[in-house]
Amino acid sequence: MTKRNPSAGFATRAIHHGYDPLEYHGALNPPVFMSSTFAYENSMQGSDRFAGDAAGYIYHRVGNPTVSVLEGRLAELEGGEAGLATASGMGAITAAFWTLLSEGDEVIADKTLYGCTFSLLHHHVTRFGVKTTFVDLTNPDELAAAINDKTRIVYSETPANPNMRVIDIAAIVRITSAADAVFIVDNTYCTPYLQRPLEMGADLVVHSATKYLGGHGDLLAGALVGDQEMIDQIRFVGIKEMNGAMISSMDAFLILRGLKTLHLRMDRHSQTALKLARDLEKHAAVARVYYPGLESSPFHGLAKRQMAQFGGMIALELKGGLDAGRVFMDGLEMVICAVSLGDAETLVQHPASMTHSTYSEDERKAHGITNGLIRISTGLEDYADIRNDILAALDCL
Ligand code: 3LM
């Protein structure tokens, strides 16, 4: 499996791709190279590596052998030429933006984004002469109307954090490819097991690997996958010279460990979330459930075409609004009140005051993130225990 074997299944490649134990004393798992710098055979070799005329490691901020195994494996799973692993999801996103954007460029982003990505685009890149326009990318006509010759990046999450809107990747690609803009998809909610945007024509995939890829809530990491030229550019500009957000080799090792069970975990998360969404929809205290696996979701048909399963994230609104939401969250016993997602533990949080508190009240209103919205990241516990805890807390309302 050190050589690319595209006919092997997803799980096989997630477990084996790009690592041969026999090249490392038979060690089943890749060694964790804890080394910030790498020796050269002689000074000329060092100079050649810096000039890009010789292959080989230079310094951990640019690359490390443990990290390379992870980067190759993520690229393989996403169906891209090259991968880049980073110290956090925000490290990946900023490295991409800062590499690709210059003063005067424009970004068009979907109106629902993870809170810090929104803040980066709304408050911060603007300080450097970059304009962001937020549109509803669930309606590709809005993109067609907004795109122009200054548009350098089109950016979306799908499903979007936190309200589960689903963007038609192929429809966006039809517009961005004609306009020469880079289409970046945040694939954190799906992972490549459920959705592969590059195969649908997107240019770059970004991840918070803190979430499902790591899968155990014990690390912070990010990743980018795209064509070799763009990934090299982001590595040598955005990471090496701008934000320095290279992943640690220990965290790269832990993500490689997480990837071995990604398929099992995503199957289970998806099964649990679908069952829970259906049970929630029937509960008298619940006003609305946002989950693309539900037949009642306006995104159900698109999600069925675009995603292998519907994933582990659910959002809901309670009839009693935020006050009821707080009573609900505080009434949970096993389920944990915390931000982040994709862990073994079921997590619940309130986007308006937590993950999306970077939006002002008015912005949240305009961007469709209501005060009453509650987000659930379904975990890997027994379904009966998740359901009983959640329904008992709802029964108290
Ligand atoms: C959260 N999200 O709870 P890191 N892209 C998406 C994300 O959801 C996130 C990132 C990028 C949450 C984090 S809120 C303080 C906790 C779709 C993170 C950024 O830098 O690895 O956290 O990724 O929704």
Side-chain angles (χ1 to χ4, degrees):
M1 286 299 291
T2 48
K3 292 207 182 74
R4 189 158 192 274
N5 177 6
S7 63
F10 184 95
T12 306
R13 289 178 291 131
I15 293 168
H16 289 280
H17 179 80
Y19 178 72
D20 181 352
L22 297 182
E23 290 174 11
Y24 292 94
H25 310 284
L28 185 65
N29 288 300
V32 182
F33 285 91
M34 301 292 276
S35 190
S36 52
T37 196
F38 295 86
Y40 317 124
E41 279 172 22
N42 52 53
S43 59
M44 204 56 218
Q45 188 189 48
S47 307
D48 287 346
R49 286 186 187 178
F50 268 86
D53 295 335
Y57 294 98
I58 296 174
Y59 185 64
H60 184 121
R61 179 155 27 83
V62 188
N64 168 295
T66 313
V67 174
S68 297
V69 178
L70 173 63
E71 291 174 340
R73 201 163 289 180
L74 289 175
E76 171 65 28
L77 297 177
E78 282 286 4
E81 272 178 21
L84 174 57
T86 61
S88 67
M90 288 312 295
I93 293 165
T94 53
F97 285 168
W98 293 349
T99 303
L100 297 172
L101 292 170
S102 299
E103 190 181 357
D105 286 346
E106 297 189 7
V107 177
I108 299 177
D110 180 52
K111 66 179 191 175
T112 310
L113 297 175
Y114 163 59
C116 292
T117 311
F118 170 75
S119 193
L120 172 71
L121 287 174
H122 187 57
H123 298 296
H124 303 307
V125 295
T126 49
R127 294 188 287 122
F128 301 93
V130 172
K131 180 181 160 199
T132 303
T133 306
F134 292 95
V135 301
D136 179 356
L137 285 183
T138 66
N139 177 5
D141 291 346
E142 288 202 15
L143 174 64
I147 204 160
N148 63 70
D149 55 9
K150 289 189 185 155
T151 308
R152 179 76 179 117
I153 292 176
V154 174
Y155 191 89
S156 91
E157 300 169 2
T158 181
N161 182 359
N163 52 19
M164 305 301 291
R165 293 162 59 258
V166 179
I167 282 77
D168 185 338
I169 295 173
I172 302 300
V173 165
R174 281 195 285 278
I175 300 168
T176 53
S177 53
D180 207 24
V182 177
F183 180 29
I184 305 180
V185 177
D186 184 327
N187 204 26
T188 299
Y189 264 37
C190 281
T191 84
Y193 184 60
L194 299 187
Q195 172 174 279
R196 285 184 290 283
L198 299 178
E199 292 179 357
M200 293 175 241
D203 300 297
L204 194 62
V205 159
V206 62
H207 279 280
S208 170
T210 313
K211 311 299 183 320
Y212 291 107
L213 298 180
H216 295 79
D218 51 7
L219 59 88
L220 205 67
L224 291 155
V225 180
D227 69 42
Q228 187 75 52
E229 197 184 331
M230 194 180 296
I231 292 295
D232 284 351
Q233 215 190 347
I234 298 171
R235 182 188 302 281
F236 288 103
V237 177
I239 297 290
K240 176 171 171 266
E241 297 176 3
M242 295 185 87
N243 72 7
M246 175 47 64
I247 191 173
S248 76
S249 41
M250 190 63 208
D251 286 342
F253 170 84
L254 286 172
I255 296 172
L256 284 164
R257 182 164 77 164
L259 287 178
K260 295 186 193 192
T261 55
L262 181 66
H263 57 294
L264 299 173
R265 291 186 286 107
M266 293 314 290
D267 282 343
R268 179 63 173 258
H269 284 300
S270 299
Q271 285 157 16
T272 293
L274 185 57
K275 282 193 265 188
L276 184 62
R278 288 194 171 130
D279 283 341
L280 286 168
E281 214 175 24
K282 285 185 244 147
H283 197 283
V286 174
R288 212 164 151 196
V289 180
Y290 302 92
Y291 185 69
L294 291 175
E295 286 75 12
S296 59
S297 163
F299 303 110
H300 185 61
L302 169 60
K304 265 200 331 205
R305 291 198 303 277
Q306 185 164 280
M307 301 162 66
Q309 299 172 69
F310 305 106
M313 299 300 296
I314 299 174
L316 70 147
E317 275 177 74
L318 300 177
K319 287 184 182 153
L322 177 55
D323 291 342
R326 289 204 192 287
V327 174
F328 163 65
M329 288 186 286
D330 293 341
L332 293 162
E333 292 197 345
M334 183 270 292
V335 172
I336 293 167
C337 181
V339 297
S340 204
L341 57 109
D343 295 330
E345 296 79 2
T346 299
L347 304 177
V348 63
Q349 67 109 7
H350 174 233
S353 67
M354 298 176 191
T355 51
H356 293 68
S357 54
T358 49
Y359 292 67
S360 69
E361 176 95 41
D362 284 348
E363 285 163 357
R364 279 198 300 278
K365 219 173 268 167
H367 292 243
I369 300 160
T370 57
N371 276 341
L373 199 73
I374 302 290
R375 190 185 77 182
I376 301 175
S377 168
T378 59
L380 302 174
E381 302 96 336
D382 293 289
Y383 181 64
D385 295 322
I386 298 174
R387 182 198 57 212
N388 292 346
D389 196 23
I390 287 178
L391 296 192
L394 287 175
D395 287 344
C396 295
L397 296 176

